[in-house]
């Protein structure tokens, strides 16, 4: 996983908000959760694709961005709770720890992250390679069957 120090720096900090970036190709929604953005004291970006999970800091101007792209490749950005109302209960909760999610047959293949928040809340962000290579959210500590925590 790339960016372990970035997600590690969020431990003990409350979550203030979240956004998702979707991917639309020629007017057709291809991936609802292409990128996840979480705001602690700063915005971070979480991407899980091609067996790699990456966490990066986002620029301070990110609050002002609603979308980018063109008619062919369009990337709308909206609040997570618009499509995932369960996200609301995470706002204001401190991040206690995190674990990388790897394939159970090869722990070098990263498929996401399990975020542990206070009040026994978990947010799993993972890439589902088969059948559709899309990212998914799980709002409980219930790991996908082929993944383990590293």
């Amino acid at each position: 996983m790339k960016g372990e120090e970035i997600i590690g720096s969020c431990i003990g900090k409350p979550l203030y908000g979240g956004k998702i970036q979707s991917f639309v190709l020629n007017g057709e929604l291809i991936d609802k959760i292409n990128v996840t953005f979480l705001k602690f004291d700063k915005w971070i970006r979480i991407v899980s694709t091609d067996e790699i999970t990456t966490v990066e800091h986002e620029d301070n101007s990110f609050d002002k961005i609603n979308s980018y792209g063109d008619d062919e490749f369009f990337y709308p950005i909206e609040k997570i709770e618009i499509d995932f109302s369960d996200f609301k209960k995470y706002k204001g909760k401190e991040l206690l720890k995190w674990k990388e999610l790897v394939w159970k047959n090869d722990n070098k293949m990263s498929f996401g992250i399990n975020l542990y928040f206070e009040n026994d809340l978990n947010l799993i962000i993972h890439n589902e390679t088969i059948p559709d290579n899309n990212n998914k959210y799980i709002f409980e500590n219930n790991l996908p069957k082929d993944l383990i925590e590293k």
Side-chain angles (χ1 to χ4, degrees), residues 6 11 48 51 53-55 57 66 72-73 75 79 83 91 107 109 118 126 137 146-149:
I6 294 171
I11 292 175
S48 187
E51 294 85 34
T53 300
T54 304
V55 179
H57 279 117
N66 297 327
E72 185 177 5
F73 297 98
Y75 301 92
K79 292 181 179 181
D83 291 296
K91 292 172 102 175
N107 71 1
M109 297 174 76
E118 62 184 328
H126 74 99
Y137 294 144
D146 291 331
L147 301 181
I148 58 171
E149 292 182 333

Side-chain angles (χ1 to χ4, degrees), residues 68-83:
Y68 65 94
D70 54 34
D71 288 342
E72 185 177 5
F73 297 98
F74 184 64
Y75 301 92
I77 299 171
E78 60 186 16
K79 292 181 179 181
I80 292 174
E81 59 265 28
I82 290 173
D83 291 296

Side-chain angles (χ1 to χ4, degrees), residues 123-135:
L123 173 57
I124 295 173
I125 303 168
H126 74 99
N127 184 261
E128 188 176 72
T129 303
I130 299 171
D132 56 12
N133 194 32
N134 287 336
N135 287 298

